[in-house]
């Protein structure tokens, strides 16, 4: 839905009858074979519990629904979710909120508060919504529910385990096997005469936030790597992310050099970057610094900095002007203010512009396009920001998505996330705050959400280029917060290994790959050599309405594209015709073919007549 369509839809929002309200995230339904052994109370409304999920408390409560006013009902709290179902209204109102989504729980009003429904709880969520509940003002009626929600929403702050470690879900597919580093590098065409695999980081001794398997220039020795690590922030040395099979240009990623105020130099680092350049004979190595120039200069004061022309004479430095994690956090907060609970109608476009969210999306996409274009033309690049785990991950993964059609498949996209985000140490725990009560932590930031938004923008501009659909993107973001799976837990591979995440939790990809039909784009047309260059201009970017405004019941009913729905119906019809044709051809080759053909359709249609139906282009 475009911005104009939202604006046109807003007057309808004020007058149309309100549909039944259901606030359940996509992909958050329980598995059909979920265990109910732990249920000692009444059945949990209409929801099957997950294996390992246990009931904690039920309570009569009033949900102050921003769309349906106050609704009486019952709230059920488990060790995984908050579930509310109304009891006093003809129209069903339900909430199904994984506790991992909760960012903040506050008490609303006091014992002496006046006014209806002024005493209760206010819950701030990480997924663009807030919840308010009211209780009776007598005998500290909210104390128990407040303490239980606070405890189970923030288990790490209370010495408890995240739900992913308690879950007993079982799937035939093991999602942890989706990504194998060596297999992926071989697919790209490395190792080769220019690039080699090193296991210097097998015990995380070189860099504790990098994966164990790294690909580096063939001519660089392990001793060289150790010396370069001393001059890069967090020891995050330049390593290969992607290799272009035809022109041998590469995308490498790292952190900022430790230049400092005195303008330090490191001959090993300078020579190492030259080895990257020489690997495919690039005339000048392009270094993309994701930061605004002024920020990169300011980082010198804290010991960081950027590659100066005098030290790196065979390199060209380009600043991409993408702002830091704090700017992105404030931008998304502003966006939430104008879309929840109601869309700001009177000045929609100016309100949206004031959030700068689409402006940031544009800058990230624009940077990735520059990286992809440079590599496509045969020049190798180095990408970094400050520490190389936020903006760097956005730029490398988006440019790889543009250059390599494999990453645009359902399986390939999972590999891309595992490699560039999870493997290379995007700080999911710090940015999302899994199980942590410190909602004001300055490390929180929607960097990964912003990346998924950029992917969505690309799927809108190239609707046939991606094997996966929008539903996959929404499910990924839902489980970024839910703590149901181990995929996005912890800050880096070494932390996941020390917490035995692979053995003790289930991968999100186990769930996704157990029913891939839910996530397939029916318009997908494979094109192996096509490079995608999205248009990164404000006129071509849209607000992702079906994610950011999905809790509004009027938006919920517009989520299914009529074109996509019709296309799916036609595909089903085609399958029916093919099945009928198969039956007719089979019957034609048997002795009793005449009888079977006559009985297969009322008009005794021949196989040839059915074939003409199949020639209709869907």
């Amino acid at each position: 839905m475009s911005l104009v369509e939202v604006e046109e839809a807003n007057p309808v929002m004020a007058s149309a009858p309100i549909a039944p309200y259901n606030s359940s995230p996509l992909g958050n339904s329980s598995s059909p074979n979920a265990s109910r052994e732990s249920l000692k109370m009444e059945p949990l409304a209409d929801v099957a519990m997950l294996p390992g999920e246990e009931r904690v408390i039920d309570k009569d409560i009033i949900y102050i629904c921003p769309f349906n006013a106050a609704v009486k009902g019952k709230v059920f709290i488990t060790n995984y979710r908050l579930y509310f179902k109304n009891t006093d209204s003809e129209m069903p109102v339900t909430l199904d909120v994984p506790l991992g989504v909760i960012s903040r729980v506050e008490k609303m009003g006091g014992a002496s508060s006046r006014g209806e429904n002024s005493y209760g709880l206010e819950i701030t969520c990480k997924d663009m919504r807030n919840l308010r509940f009211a209780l009776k003002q007598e005998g500290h009626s909210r104390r128990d529910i407040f303490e239980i929600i606070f405890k189970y929403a923030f288990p790490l702050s209370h010495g408890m385990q995240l739900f992913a470690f308690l879950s007993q879900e079982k799937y035939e597919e093991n999602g942890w096997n989706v990504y194998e580093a060596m297999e992926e590098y071989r697919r790209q065409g490395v190792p080769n005469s220019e690039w080699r695999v090193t296991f210097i980081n097998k015990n995380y001794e070189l860099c504790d936030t990098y994966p164990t398997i790294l690909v580096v220039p063939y001519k660089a020795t392990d001793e060289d790597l150790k010396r370069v690590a001393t001059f890069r922030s967090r020891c995050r040395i330049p390593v290969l992310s992607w290799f272009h099979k035809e022109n041998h240009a590469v995308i490498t990623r790292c952190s900022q050099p430790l230049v400092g105020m005195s303008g330090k130099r490191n001959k090993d680092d300078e020579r190492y970057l030259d080895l990257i350049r020489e690997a495919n004979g690039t005339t000048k190595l392009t270094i993309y610094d994701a930061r605004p120039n002024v920020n990169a200069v300011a980082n010198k004061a804290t010991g960081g900095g950027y590659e100066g022309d005098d030290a790196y004479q065979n390199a060209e430095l380009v600043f991409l002007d993408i702002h830091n994690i704090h700017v992105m956090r404030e931008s998304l907060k502003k966006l939430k203010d104008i879309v929840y609970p109601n869309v700001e109608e009177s000045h929609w476009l100016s309100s949206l512009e004031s959030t700068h969210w689409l402006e940031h999306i544009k800058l990230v996409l624009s940077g990735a396009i520059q990286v992809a274009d440079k590599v496509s033309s045969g020049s190798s690049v180095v990408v970094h920001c400050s520490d190389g785990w936020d903006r760097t991950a956005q730029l490398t993964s988006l440019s790889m998505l543009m250059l390599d059609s494999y990453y645009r498949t359902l399986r390939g996209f999972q590999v891309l996330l595992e490699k560039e985000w999870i493997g290379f140490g995007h700080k999911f725990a710090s940015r999302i705050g899994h199980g942590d009560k410190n909602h004001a932590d300055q490390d929180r930031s929607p960097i990964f959400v912003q990346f998924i938004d950029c992917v969505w923008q690309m799927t809108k501009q190239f609707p046939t280029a991606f094997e996966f659909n929008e539903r996959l993107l929404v499910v990924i973001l839902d489980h970024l917060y839910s703590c149901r799976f181990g995929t996005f837990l912890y800050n880096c591979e070494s932390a996941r290994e020390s917490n035995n995440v692979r053995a003790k939790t289930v991968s999100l990809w186990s769930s996704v790959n157990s029913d891939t039909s839910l996530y397939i784009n029916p318009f997908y047309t494979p094109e192996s050599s096509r490079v995608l260059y999205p248009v990164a201009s404000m006129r071509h970017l849209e607000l992702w309405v079906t994610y950011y405004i999905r809790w509004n019941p009027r938006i919920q009913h517009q989520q299914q594209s009529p074109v996509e729905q019709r296309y799916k119906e036609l595909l089903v019809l085609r399958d029916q015709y093919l099945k009928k044709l198969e039956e007719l051809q089979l019957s034609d080759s048997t002795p009793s073919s005449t009888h079977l053909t006559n009985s297969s359709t009322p008009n005794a249609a021949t196989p040839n007549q059915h074939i003409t139906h199949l020639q209709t282009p869907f």
Side-chain angles (χ1 to χ4, degrees):
M1 180 182 282
S2 68
L3 301 179
V4 177
E5 287 172 319
V6 174
E7 199 156 35
E8 287 173 351
N10 286 340
V12 181
M13 287 183 183
S15 57
I18 290 175
Y21 180 63
N22 181 351
S23 184
S24 301
L26 272 173
N28 196 44
S29 58
S30 309
S31 59
N33 60 345
S35 166
R36 285 182 171 272
E37 290 174 12
S38 61
L39 296 184
K40 297 184 177 69
M41 303 176 237
E42 62 184 89
L44 180 55
D46 304 321
V47 177
M49 304 249 294
L50 294 170
E53 186 177 1
E54 294 178 358
R55 293 278 289 283
V56 181
I57 192 174
D58 305 351
K59 200 169 184 77
D60 290 322
I61 206 164
I62 295 169
Y63 168 49
I64 304 170
C65 178
F67 313 109
N68 290 26
V71 184
K72 286 183 181 176
K74 179 164 274 199
V75 69
F76 304 83
I77 309 294
T78 73
N79 57 349
Y80 171 67
R81 80 182 86 208
L82 177 156
Y83 185 85
F84 170 87
K85 186 171 175 65
N86 64 319
T87 53
D88 70 338
S89 171
E90 290 179 11
M91 279 189 286
V93 176
T94 60
L95 291 171
D96 188 358
V97 185
L99 297 177
V101 164
I102 295 174
S103 168
R104 186 179 187 179
V105 188
E106 295 176 288
K107 291 176 180 176
M108 179 179 74
S112 58
S113 295
R114 297 189 177 278
E116 194 178 7
N117 301 330
S118 60
Y119 177 85
L121 301 175
E122 186 150 5
I123 297 173
T124 306
C125 297
K126 299 170 185 174
D127 62 355
M128 306 297 287
R129 57 178 162 170
N130 297 332
L131 310 172
R132 293 175 70 205
F133 295 101
L135 296 102
K136 292 175 183 173
Q137 285 170 280
E138 52 189 48
H140 303 291
S141 60
R142 68 181 170 192
R143 180 182 291 169
D144 57 349
I145 189 120
F146 172 81
E147 289 176 354
I148 282 167
I149 293 174
F150 198 77
K151 179 180 174 183
Y152 285 93
F154 312 121
L156 297 185
S157 298
H158 294 89
M160 294 161 56
Q161 286 185 307
L162 293 166
F163 180 74
F165 289 93
L166 305 171
S167 173
Q168 302 296 317
E169 285 187 87
K170 298 281 187 283
Y171 294 94
E172 285 182 20
E173 168 112 12
N174 183 357
W176 295 120
N177 295 333
V178 161
Y179 173 63
E180 295 295 339
M182 283 305 302
E183 192 179 305
E184 168 55 16
Y185 285 124
R186 283 193 199 100
R187 184 196 68 81
Q188 290 184 23
V190 289
N192 53 40
S193 60
E194 298 154 14
W195 294 88
R196 70 180 182 90
V197 173
T198 176
F199 299 97
I200 189 174
N201 203 41
K202 66 181 178 188
N203 296 316
Y204 306 105
E205 287 172 359
L206 179 77
C207 174
D208 62 358
T209 59
Y210 262 4
T212 54
I213 296 172
L214 303 172
V215 176
V216 297
Y218 190 83
K219 292 179 181 176
T221 67
D222 282 0
E223 285 306 312
D224 291 335
L225 303 182
K226 289 176 185 175
R227 287 192 290 270
V228 172
T230 64
F231 193 65
R232 289 281 163 177
S233 176
R234 316 277 179 171
C235 301
R236 292 172 69 91
I237 64 170
V239 292
L240 182 137
S241 275
W242 191 75
F243 178 82
H244 195 299
K245 282 182 182 175
E246 278 77 44
N247 62 35
H248 291 207
V250 296
I251 298 172
T252 58
R253 61 180 294 168
C254 59
S255 60
Q256 66 183 337
L258 300 177
V259 175
M261 292 297 285
S262 60
K264 289 178 199 161
R265 289 181 60 170
N266 183 300
K267 292 293 180 188
D268 296 298
D269 191 77
E270 292 164 24
R271 180 175 167 274
Y272 184 76
L273 259 60
D274 227 31
L275 290 178
I276 294 173
R277 180 188 65 79
E278 288 171 2
N280 82 322
T282 296
T283 312
K284 268 215 166 193
L285 180 70
T286 307
I287 301 169
Y288 286 105
D289 190 325
R291 303 167 292 184
N293 189 339
V294 64
N295 292 30
V297 172
N299 275 13
K300 282 187 170 186
T302 55
Y306 55 90
E307 295 84 355
D309 295 341
D310 51 341
Y312 299 85
Q313 294 178 358
N314 293 322
E316 166 194 22
L317 182 65
V318 179
F319 291 103
L320 296 175
D321 296 324
I322 302 167
H323 288 279
N324 63 28
I325 62 170
H326 312 296
V327 173
M328 301 311 178
R329 180 178 60 247
E330 294 309 311
S331 178
L332 190 63
K333 272 185 188 171
K334 288 177 184 174
L335 180 61
K336 182 176 178 178
D337 289 342
I338 69 162
V339 301
Y340 189 88
N342 296 307
V343 176
E344 169 61 59
E345 288 182 45
S346 51
H347 306 97
W348 167 249
L349 292 175
S350 56
S351 296
L352 181 61
E353 186 183 17
S354 70
T355 69
H356 301 294
W357 183 253
L358 288 179
E359 196 178 310
H360 297 315
I361 295 290
K362 175 192 136 181
L363 286 168
V364 174
L365 274 173
S366 175
I369 291 165
Q370 290 180 60
V371 172
D373 187 47
K374 186 66 75 172
V375 172
S376 189
S377 65
S379 297
S380 291
V381 304
V382 174
V383 181
H384 71 72
C385 46
S386 297
D387 290 316
W389 48 46
D390 291 313
R391 290 166 281 193
T392 300
Q394 290 178 327
L395 292 167
T396 57
S397 51
L398 285 169
S399 55
M400 288 159 71
L401 199 61
M402 293 170 193
L403 289 161
D404 193 335
S405 62
Y406 170 68
Y407 297 126
R408 304 197 284 266
T409 65
L410 180 60
R411 195 84 171 200
F413 190 64
Q414 296 168 26
V415 167
L416 182 67
L417 299 190
E418 286 283 347
K419 180 179 181 297
E420 290 300 299
W421 288 87
I422 297 164
F424 274 103
H426 174 64
K427 296 170 67 177
F428 283 104
S430 299
R431 298 290 176 258
I432 306 304
H434 297 128
D436 182 9
K437 67 181 181 182
N438 299 311
H439 60 86
D441 190 329
Q442 291 298 297
D443 267 351
R444 304 274 176 97
S445 190
I447 300 302
F448 185 73
V449 175
Q450 195 173 51
F451 159 72
I452 294 291
D453 193 329
C454 289
V455 175
W456 179 82
Q457 301 287 345
M458 287 177 65
T459 66
K460 293 295 284 183
Q461 292 191 27
F462 301 99
T464 64
F466 294 83
E467 187 185 23
F468 54 87
N469 58 19
E470 179 186 50
R471 185 187 183 101
L472 177 75
L473 302 179
V474 175
V475 165
I476 286 170
L477 290 184
D478 280 341
H479 292 302
L480 172 67
Y481 303 122
S482 75
C483 297
R484 176 175 160 186
F485 301 102
T487 305
F488 300 118
L489 302 185
Y490 300 102
N491 281 336
C492 56
E493 193 178 285
S494 61
R496 278 184 283 277
E497 200 171 286
S498 62
N499 285 281
N500 214 0
V501 168
R502 278 180 168 241
K504 292 184 176 180
T505 72
V506 176
S507 165
L508 169 59
W509 315 130
S510 299
S511 172
V512 168
N513 296 332
S514 66
D515 190 358
T516 55
S517 63
L518 293 171
Y519 309 107
I520 294 297
N521 168 22
F523 303 115
Y524 175 58
T525 308
E527 293 177 88
S528 59
S529 58
R530 186 184 180 194
V531 178
L532 304 184
Y533 290 116
V535 181
S537 87
M538 296 301 283
R539 287 186 302 110
H540 288 82
L541 299 179
E542 301 177 28
L543 180 68
W544 187 6
V545 169
T546 46
Y547 178 71
Y548 297 116
I549 317 183
R550 63 180 166 150
W551 307 120
N552 189 308
R554 288 182 180 64
I555 297 297
Q556 286 181 342
H557 292 283
Q558 298 164 10
Q559 285 192 13
Q560 177 69 60
S561 156
V563 177
E564 188 173 336
Q565 182 61 37
R566 181 62 184 142
Y567 192 86
K568 284 178 179 174
E569 289 168 5
L570 289 170
L571 287 176
V572 170
L573 198 60
R574 183 195 66 178
D575 290 342
Q576 288 172 353
Y577 274 130
L578 286 170
K579 191 177 178 185
K580 180 68 75 178
L581 177 63
E582 228 173 82
E583 289 171 2
L584 289 166
Q585 287 172 333
L586 192 66
S587 67
D588 220 19
S589 62
T590 62
S592 55
S593 61
T594 310
H595 169 71
L596 285 170
T597 305
N598 287 340
S599 63
S600 62
T601 60
N603 299 323
T606 66
N608 288 336
Q609 284 174 312
H610 278 272
I611 288 168
T612 58
H613 284 288
L614 293 172
Q615 290 167 352
T616 307
F618 291 135

